[in-house]
């Protein structure tokens, strides 16, 4: 039997020009788009792509730090780290819920993550080797996230923007927690300060990569900026993060691993050296230090949590039946 030919993909239908013009006018006026409002299909798909990637990153981001909860140096540190990891789970939930308002099923998004077909932030595919990494992640990774997400709190899509307001408040605590860990280590013994510096050396460049490639090389930036999903480009946000972070590093006696770093007094900016984008795309492509480990951990957790999902569904069915009988 000859193989059945796959049907040709159906080209997207052109948008109604009147509706599209009205949509663009709303964005130009700074209005917020809500789930029941009409929106172009491309706008909806871009939001699903961006929001699901963000939600996946929050969930996978629990793994590098969760690995250190039982090894925290004292009870105070353990409680703080446990609370932080719990916050990250909540952030993923907020964003998954927001994505569902666009007509997708959360279970389908999770299946894409577990199948390895969905993207998440490449930074979570790096290992956490010492306790100082908890400080570097809080200060650098969450610090970079705050710079990016503060702008998303003004995104044109209402559910995403509102989720970012709460998430940014919690991320600020995470950043302060990480910075305090590194400040404590830096003021400690020579070995502790060396541990802190080593962590900064390893997390600095991946943190800069979190903002994405330069706007001229990004396939999505122009569209997201035009639709006000993003308020500023990748390069501008990355520069803001650098300008905020270098003085903070100097304040606790740490340096960033960039021999080309210099301050431009005329522009009032810290200028960095070239970023190794080949490494970034290699990690995104599945060849980072911990890509396979991270997905294996998520698959294991998903499988072992099946009974919880089944119990919740049974509970919901029972109360639905009770409501019907009472009616």
């Amino acid at each position: 039997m000859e193989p059945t030919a796959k049907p040709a993909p159906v080209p997207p239908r052109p948008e109604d020009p009147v509706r599209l013009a009205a949509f663009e006018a709303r964005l130009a006026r700074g209005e917020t788009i809500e789930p029941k409002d009409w929106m172009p299909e491309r706008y909806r798909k871009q939001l699903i792509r961006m929001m699901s990637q963000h939600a996946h990153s929050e969930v996978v981001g629990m793994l590098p730090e969760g690995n250190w909860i039982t090894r925290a140096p004292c009870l105070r540190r353990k409680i703080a780290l446990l609370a932080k990891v719990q916050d990250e789970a909540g952030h993923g939930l907020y964003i998954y819920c927001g994505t569902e308002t666009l007509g997708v099923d959360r279970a389908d998004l999770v299946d894409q993550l577990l199948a390895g077909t969905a993207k998440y932030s490449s930074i979570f595919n790096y290992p956490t080797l010492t306790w100082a990494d908890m400080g570097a992640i809080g200060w650098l990774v969450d610090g970079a996230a705050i710079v990016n997400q503060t702008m998303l709190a003004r995104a044109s899509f209402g559910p995403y923007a509102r989720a970012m307001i709460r998430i940014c408040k919690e991320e600020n605590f995470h950043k302060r927690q990480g910075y305090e860990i590194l400040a404590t280590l830096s003021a400690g013994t020579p070995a502790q300060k060396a541990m802190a510096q080593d962590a900064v050396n390893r997390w600095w460049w991946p943190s800069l990569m979190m903002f994405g490639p330069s706007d001229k090389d990004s396939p999505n930036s122009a569209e997201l900026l035009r639709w006000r999903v993003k308020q500023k480009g990748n390069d501008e946000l990355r520069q803001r993060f650098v300008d905020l972070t270098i003085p903070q590093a100097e304040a606790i006696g740490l340096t960033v691993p960039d021999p080309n770093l210099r301050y431009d007094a005329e522009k009032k900016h810290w200028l960095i050296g070239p970023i190794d984008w080949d490494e970034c795309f290699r990690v995104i492509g599945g060849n980072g230090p911990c890509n396979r480990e991270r997905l294996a951990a998520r698959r294991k957790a998903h499988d072992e949590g099946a009974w919880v999902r089944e119990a919740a569904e049974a509970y919901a069915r029972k109360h639905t039946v009770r409501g019907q009988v009472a009616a």
Side-chain angles (χ1 to χ4, degrees), residues 182-241:
L182 289 183
T184 302
L185 290 172
S186 183
T189 67
Q192 288 173 327
K193 183 170 184 178
M195 182 195 300
Q197 184 62 62
D198 174 67
V200 172
N201 291 347
R202 286 183 287 105
W203 290 96
W204 172 250
W205 291 109
S207 297
L208 296 182
M209 296 174 192
M210 284 180 64
F211 294 96
S214 178
D215 295 311
K216 61 182 177 58
D217 301 318
S218 173
N220 299 302
S221 281
E223 198 167 49
L224 293 172
L225 287 166
R226 179 168 62 88
W227 279 332
R228 289 184 45 251
V229 176
K230 294 181 67 172
Q231 304 294 315
K232 295 183 179 180
N234 297 344
D235 296 319
E236 186 176 356
L237 292 173
R238 183 165 28 245
Q239 184 63 63
R240 174 166 172 75
F241 171 71

Side-chain angles (χ1 to χ4, degrees), residues 31-207:
E31 295 183 20
T32 298
I33 306 301
E34 297 296 343
K36 292 184 179 180
D37 296 340
W38 183 89
M39 63 187 71
E41 183 62 16
R42 177 66 179 172
Y43 177 85
R44 189 182 77 87
K45 288 185 175 180
Q46 280 282 39
L47 281 170
I48 292 173
R49 177 196 64 79
M50 185 173 177
M51 293 172 68
S52 62
Q53 180 176 326
H54 190 167
H56 296 331
S57 299
E58 297 284 357
V59 172
V60 177
M62 298 163 61
L63 298 173
E65 294 172 304
N67 186 42
W68 277 89
I69 290 174
T70 58
R71 295 182 285 168
C74 65
L75 180 59
R76 172 175 172 267
R77 298 293 189 191
K78 180 178 293 188
I79 292 172
L81 184 58
L82 184 62
K84 180 186 178 185
V85 172
Q86 184 178 3
D87 284 349
E88 307 297 358
H91 297 174
L93 177 61
Y94 303 153
I95 304 170
Y96 279 134
C97 290
T99 309
E100 285 185 311
T101 67
L102 292 163
V104 296
D105 193 307
R106 187 188 320 173
D108 292 337
L109 299 178
V110 173
D111 287 344
Q112 292 169 13
L113 172 64
L114 299 177
T117 59
K119 291 182 178 179
Y120 57 87
S121 181
S122 62
I123 199 163
F124 298 119
N125 288 318
Y126 289 88
T128 46
L129 304 180
T130 69
W131 171 251
D133 287 24
M134 300 303 98
I137 290 175
W139 176 43
L140 296 176
V141 177
D142 293 329
I146 291 168
V147 170
N148 192 36
Q149 292 168 7
T150 300
M151 294 296 105
L152 291 175
R154 302 203 299 268
S156 58
F157 185 57
Y160 198 20
R162 290 189 288 272
M164 286 303 101
I165 293 173
R166 177 167 181 175
I167 288 174
C168 284
K169 291 178 180 178
E170 294 176 351
E171 292 289 5
N172 269 290
F173 282 103
H174 301 170
K175 178 184 177 181
R176 289 169 60 186
Q177 173 197 354
Y179 189 65
E180 196 257 345
I181 289 174
L182 289 183
T184 302
L185 290 172
S186 183
T189 67
Q192 288 173 327
K193 183 170 184 178
M195 182 195 300
Q197 184 62 62
D198 174 67
V200 172
N201 291 347
R202 286 183 287 105
W203 290 96
W204 172 250
W205 291 109
S207 297

